[in-house]
Amino acid sequence: MPPAQAAARAAALIDIGRSAEALPLLHQAIAQDPQNEQARYLLSLAFLKLGKYWDADAAARAAIAVAPEHGWGYSLRALALKAMNHRPEALHSAQRDRKSVV
């Protein structure tokens, strides 16, 4: 399955609460296209919804590395850090989000 199609299908699965089923699709999309920022954002979101905050943070950092100019990665990282009670780091990431979209 092409990376864009896998990411779209994964997004639909996440939307209906089937985040665990989205993970293999997202890993496949990233393996085929490591620069696919959408798949990386969705991977972080899926991990967040599954309560896997460490993995969500790692995926958000990978998304930021691919597309540092976009705010979505910083927002996802802030959510993961907040869930892990790393509030100062979460605030810093959220502030980076605001700077990236201004």
Side-chain angles (χ1 to χ4, degrees):
M1 177 179 311
Q5 186 178 357
R9 184 165 180 204
L13 288 167
I14 293 167
D15 283 346
I16 61 171
R18 294 168 55 185
S19 295
E21 293 175 52
L23 294 177
L25 292 169
L26 294 168
H27 287 298
Q28 173 192 355
I30 292 167
Q32 290 177 354
D33 179 8
Q35 300 301 309
N36 187 328
E37 62 191 77
Q38 180 188 15
R40 291 187 179 278
Y41 297 144
L42 289 168
L43 182 62
S44 181
L45 180 61
F47 281 135
L48 277 171
K49 293 199 178 250
L50 291 169
K52 296 183 176 189
Y53 305 123
W54 181 265
D55 293 327
D57 178 45
R61 283 186 281 119
I64 291 167
V66 169
E69 69 281 1
H70 295 122
W72 191 221
Y74 297 105
S75 295
L76 289 165
R77 182 153 197 253
L79 290 171
L81 290 167
K82 182 180 174 195
M84 293 186 293
N85 284 327
H86 296 215
R87 295 190 188 280
E89 290 176 55
L91 179 59
H92 178 71
S93 188
Q95 289 170 336
R96 294 275 306 176
D97 171 28
R98 288 187 57 194
K99 290 177 185 173
S100 67
V101 293
V102 172

